Amino acid sequence: MTDWTALATRSRRARQTRLGVLTLFLTLVSIPVAVPYIWMVMIAFTARRGMAETGTLWPALLVIVAGLAVYGLVLWRSGRERTALVAGALTGLGLGLVLLGNDLHLNNFRFMVNANIIEDLKGQATAGGQFPWVWEAFFNSLILAGSQTIIVVTVSTLAAYYLSRFSFRGRSAFLQSLLVLQAFPAITLVIPIFLIVFWVGLLNTLYAPILVLTALELPFFIFIMKGFFDAVPWDIEMSAMTDGASRRQAFWMVVLPQVRVGMIAIGVFAFIKGWEEYVFVNGLRTGNSYWVMSTYLYYVRQDVMGVDYGMVAAVAVLYVLPALVLYLFCQKYLTQMTLGGVKG
Amino acid sequence: MARVDLHALTKTWDKATAVAGIDLSIDDGEFVAILGPSGCGKSTTLFLLAGVYLPSSGDILFDGTRVNEVEARHRNVGIVFQSYALYPNMSVLQNILFPTRFQKTPDAERRAREMGELVQITELLDRRPSELSGGQQQRVALARALIKRPNLLLLDEPLSNLDATLRLTMRAEIRRLTRDLGVTTILVTHDQLEATTMADRVVCMNAGRIEQVGTAEDLYMRPETTFVAGFIGSPPINLIPLPTPGVDAQGQTQPQTLGLRPEMLHAGESGLPLQIDHVEVMGRETLYSGTGPNGALRFLEPTAQPRWSMGDRVHLDFAPADSILFDAAGRRLPDATARRTE
């Protein structure tokens, strides 16, 4: 006789163990990722003496753990997602105010309103009026990331459509070279790219990093977009054309709406790539001709007369914010993306 | 509403020949089915007619006018794909309205609703294609193909994704629609039942060529080639090789193959010997298969109760008029002077 109850118990226990071990493992590996960010935020909002203090980090972690614990407990007891979320947030907020309320301040963010922050800190002599207001760097970064995103999305969409739908001499070689190009580290190209940019006369302009980054990103994004186009059935396009649409109309009205997810996904990636870029931004200027957020952060961090880590962290928080917001809004599109196109 | 003529129509890809020179005339308002196994060039023919592919040689004529180079969007052809090819980013109503966006259609929306009524999907007009069942998607595709009053309606395996009962109703419904609208229709299918039940005429294709054009009865009773004989009919025909020489003493072509439909064979005292090795009860009748000196044979008995079982030996007799004779090239010989093969 088979003891069904015993088997069921065993299977239930195995499932619970598996889930527990998995949760524990994921929690452990996320600690080294999450803690530095939490620390950065805590320094930005609490540091008073310009030091990288840990004093407020531990209470902050305690607040987060308590909030998560309340969230988990309420979810387990009531099963209502919204209630649990509110309860966890309220716990965290209340505990945070009690433990950290007196330490929080916005003084480290004074660079956002003071256009001459470095001169004020270190004296006219050191900076000599070369250092910009943070918003200048911020908007340069926006222009760099934004225009590069627009070019990358447009070009890779059109190129990928052609590669997906038309056969031409050298098509497979072209596709292979798209992948091979990814195998070379872009950093090895810094010197030739610098020379080309110099000869073309774009050195010390924002055009240089825009064009260079676009060129470096295109192969991979074309490849990804091709996967999305491959997933759109031929029938639909033929149907649109027999319904009276020209090829271009069929592309606009029927095919493009179906690869929207892919366009958003590569757009987000291209934007974040442009937003975080440092090497090709710093490498393609010889003085302080233009500033972007990464070079601004680097300069703030430079140890001339002792670093104000409170401000460095505050700049970093401002720097991370747009990418984070973008990512949160587009998260559902990004998770639909795989190398082969749209997931079922 | 148009008459369609194909003259020596050919389509070759890099190496393969998909359509190897076909001639066909389709009358205004006629319903023609192109029937053949997969890869026989029937879908290519359809896309040549739609204007999606350009012919390699030969001509396509609509009402006597050559349309070879006319683009798909100007041919005024409606097409229903096997996958239905509905636009997933649009609602059902927008799908039906799509063709009217490219030609001035007065009262487009009212017309779309009429089409919706015609194919009985009025309550679904605001839904997305992904929320519809296969049969409903099929109706939407039909409405979309018909809204612009096409010269020609092309159906590419339209029923193969539907379940058996739905297929039966849709068969009748498509036939009713095309008859009411009087639209010239070409149906491409590999399902002989679909072709023979819906079409006025059936075109049987194989390897890029037309094997035979005729009514369902022509194809069944008087197949021009052994291919048609073997392809049409289920259970399939028995093709028995004959031991005669290709040409007789007078130089007359001699039959090389004897074709006998399973229902034309009757078990009796004399005739072709057979040992039964498989029995299938099919409802109204029973199918027996077996082997004998003439190879594998099948015959049908019109009784649900099996009369024989595995291992039984029987003799099969037939009326000479029921047999079909083919020459060495597989062509049917005109006067069927049947002979016994004992």
Side-chain angles (χ1 to χ4, degrees):
Chain A
M1 272 298 280
T2 324
D3 187 352
W4 292 107
T5 344
L7 282 176
T9 315
R10 209 169 78 191
S11 142
R12 194 161 52 240
R13 231 175 252 144
R15 206 161 51 234
Q16 277 163 355
T17 316
R18 213 156 38 229
L19 197 66
V21 169
L22 193 68
T23 313
L24 190 70
F25 173 76
L26 289 177
T27 311
L28 284 178
V29 295
S30 66
I31 285 175
V33 181
V35 169
Y37 280 103
I38 297 167
W39 194 17
M40 178 185 89
V41 174
M42 286 323 292
I43 293 172
F45 284 100
T46 62
R48 289 184 193 281
R49 287 166 295 146
M51 308 287 277
E53 298 153 84
T54 51
T56 54
L57 176 62
W58 311 120
L61 289 177
L62 186 69
V63 167
I64 290 169
V65 170
L68 284 177
V70 169
Y71 166 78
L73 213 64
V74 174
L75 189 64
W76 179 47
R77 280 286 165 208
S78 72
R80 279 202 296 271
E81 177 88 35
R82 188 174 284 253
T83 323
L85 217 58
V86 170
L90 283 179
T91 313
L93 211 65
L95 199 62
L97 278 178
V98 172
L99 289 178
L100 297 162
N102 292 329
D103 294 322
L104 295 175
H105 66 90
L106 289 173
N107 195 34
N108 288 330
F109 286 88
R110 62 191 184 281
F111 66 91
M112 287 170 74
V113 289
N114 186 347
N116 297 309
I117 184 76
I118 299 291
E119 287 81 350
D120 286 0
L121 277 178
K122 298 175 179 172
Q124 284 293 344
T126 41
Q130 294 175 21
F131 196 70
W133 197 14
V134 68
W135 296 112
E136 189 189 323
F138 192 88
F139 284 113
N140 274 344
S141 268
L142 273 188
I143 290 169
L144 167 61
S147 51
Q148 182 248 48
T149 304
I150 291 168
I151 301 173
V152 162
V153 171
T154 314
V155 175
S156 56
T157 302
L158 295 176
Y161 176 72
Y162 198 86
L163 281 170
S164 166
R165 287 295 192 262
F166 294 84
S167 71
F168 53 91
R169 195 181 294 272
R171 178 173 175 274
S172 60
F174 191 91
L175 278 173
Q176 278 158 17
S177 65
L178 284 183
L179 278 187
V180 169
L181 277 176
Q182 281 313 110
F184 298 115
I187 199 84
T188 55
L189 300 173
V190 166
I191 292 170
I193 285 177
F194 181 90
L195 290 174
I196 293 169
V197 167
F198 171 65
W199 286 327
V200 173
L202 291 178
L203 206 61
N204 290 323
T205 66
L206 210 49
Y207 296 112
I210 291 174
L211 292 176
V212 168
L213 286 180
T214 305
L216 290 175
E217 281 165 23
L218 269 179
F220 190 56
F221 288 147
I222 290 174
F223 202 79
I224 288 184
M225 281 311 291
K226 180 183 171 285
F228 277 93
F229 279 114
D230 286 346
V232 178
W234 207 168
D235 280 4
I236 283 186
E237 230 174 317
M238 286 202 278
S239 169
M241 285 192 279
T242 48
D243 277 348
S246 67
R247 180 126 208 174
R248 189 175 299 135
Q249 283 168 326
F251 175 73
W252 269 109
M253 299 163 87
V254 172
V255 180
L256 214 52
Q258 291 185 67
V259 296
R260 212 191 59 201
V261 170
M263 291 170 71
I264 291 173
I266 65 166
V268 170
F269 282 126
F271 187 90
I272 289 177
K273 193 89 199 344
W275 185 256
E276 70 174 18
E277 183 59 31
Y278 175 74
V279 171
F280 284 101
V281 168
N282 205 35
L284 297 178
R285 56 170 210 173
T286 49
N288 293 332
S289 46
Y290 58 83
W291 290 85
V292 293
M293 282 307 283
S294 56
T295 51
Y296 185 92
L297 180 63
Y298 178 78
Y299 195 85
V300 171
R301 196 209 63 89
Q302 256 189 339
D303 189 2
V304 182
M305 297 162 69
V307 191
D308 183 348
Y309 277 109
M311 207 169 82
V312 172
V315 173
V317 168
L318 176 68
Y319 190 12
V320 165
L321 222 51
L324 191 68
V325 170
L326 189 68
Y327 199 86
L328 284 179
F329 273 106
C330 302
Q331 195 196 19
K332 71 169 185 198
Y333 300 110
L334 296 184
T335 49
Q336 286 180 33
M337 202 189 82
T338 58
L339 207 73
V342 196
K343 266 196 272 186
Chain B
M1 332 295 136
R3 181 188 157 77
V4 178
D5 292 282
L6 306 180
H7 291 320
L9 189 66
T10 305
K11 178 69 187 175
T12 50
W13 303 106
D14 287 345
K15 288 184 185 68
T17 303
V19 178
I22 60 176
D23 293 280
L24 183 64
S25 293
I26 298 162
D27 277 333
D28 190 5
E30 199 181 10
F31 194 125
V32 168
I34 302 180
L35 175 67
S38 44
C40 73
K42 56 191 194 301
S43 287
T44 310
T45 310
L46 197 78
F47 293 140
L48 285 167
L49 280 163
V52 178
Y53 297 157
L54 281 175
S56 305
S57 68
D59 289 322
I60 303 168
L61 286 84
F62 283 6
D63 282 332
T65 318
R66 188 168 174 275
V67 293
N68 279 27
E69 270 106 41
V70 178
E71 275 182 73
R73 59 187 166 130
H74 296 132
R75 285 197 192 182
N76 196 22
V77 163
I79 184 162
V80 175
F81 290 86
Q82 183 175 9
S83 62
Y84 315 132
L86 299 180
Y87 311 127
N89 52 313
M90 304 177 196
S91 72
V92 167
L93 183 64
Q94 285 170 323
N95 262 283
I96 300 174
L97 277 171
F98 189 79
T100 65
R101 286 158 79 170
F102 308 100
Q103 49 181 222
K104 283 205 176 64
T105 315
D107 271 343
E109 180 147 351
R110 189 183 52 79
R111 224 177 120 54
R113 291 186 187 281
E114 270 174 27
M115 292 311 304
E117 232 163 84
L118 203 60
V119 297
Q120 300 162 13
I121 46 158
T122 21
E123 68 284 10
L124 306 171
L125 288 175
D126 296 323
R127 298 226 199 139
R128 296 258 153 185
S130 55
E131 296 165 337
L132 305 184
S133 69
Q136 292 167 335
Q137 290 191 27
Q138 160 93 77
R139 287 159 196 267
V140 177
L142 260 174
R144 185 182 64 184
L146 291 171
I147 190 169
K148 59 180 178 183
R149 302 181 198 276
N151 291 325
L152 180 61
L153 178 65
L154 302 175
L155 308 169
D156 184 15
E157 308 256 3
L159 304 177
S160 56
N161 287 345
L162 303 179
D163 63 52
T165 29
L166 203 53
R167 208 177 292 183
L168 213 66
T169 38
M170 282 314 287
R171 232 155 55 190
E173 209 139 295
I174 291 176
R175 199 62 193 94
R176 172 182 66 82
L177 265 175
T178 53
R179 197 173 283 138
D180 288 354
L181 298 170
V183 57
T184 312
T185 308
I186 299 176
L187 166 80
V188 155
T189 180
H190 65 268
D191 182 344
Q192 47 171 306
L193 199 63
E194 226 169 277
T196 50
T197 52
M198 289 169 80
D200 301 324
R201 274 194 305 159
V202 178
V203 177
C204 189
M205 272 185 81
N206 181 36
R209 292 178 190 286
I210 294 181
E211 294 271 338
Q212 188 175 356
V213 182
T215 60
E217 195 205 342
D218 286 339
L219 265 64
Y220 191 79
M221 303 302 288
R222 291 173 290 281
E224 289 296 337
T225 63
T226 44
F227 173 82
V228 178
F231 192 72
I232 307 276
S234 170
I237 196 169
N238 297 299
L239 291 171
I240 305 161
L242 297 176
T244 47
V247 179
D248 69 6
Q250 286 85 42
Q252 291 282 320
T253 313
Q254 293 276 78
Q256 287 289 289
T257 311
L258 170 67
L260 285 167
R261 298 273 173 203
E263 66 272 23
M264 304 301 184
L265 288 169
H266 309 287
E269 293 305 307
S270 62
L272 308 165
L274 187 76
Q275 180 172 14
I276 293 169
D277 48 30
H278 189 61
V279 180
E280 283 174 62
V281 181
M282 298 170 73
R284 270 171 303 142
E285 45 210 8
T286 306
L287 175 69
Y288 302 90
S289 340
T291 41
N294 300 298
L297 291 178
R298 292 181 207 85
F299 70 100
L300 273 175
E301 282 283 322
T303 49
Q305 204 85 60
R307 281 170 60 194
W308 296 280
S309 56
M310 242 173 71
D312 286 354
R313 284 165 193 280
V314 292
H315 286 270
L316 298 175
D317 204 354
F318 60 92
D322 290 337
S323 64
I324 311 164
L325 292 166
F326 299 95
D327 68 9
R331 281 186 204 296
R332 183 169 60 91
L333 291 171
D335 36 40
T337 45
R339 53 194 73 195
R340 305 290 288 265
T341 55
E342 279 142 303

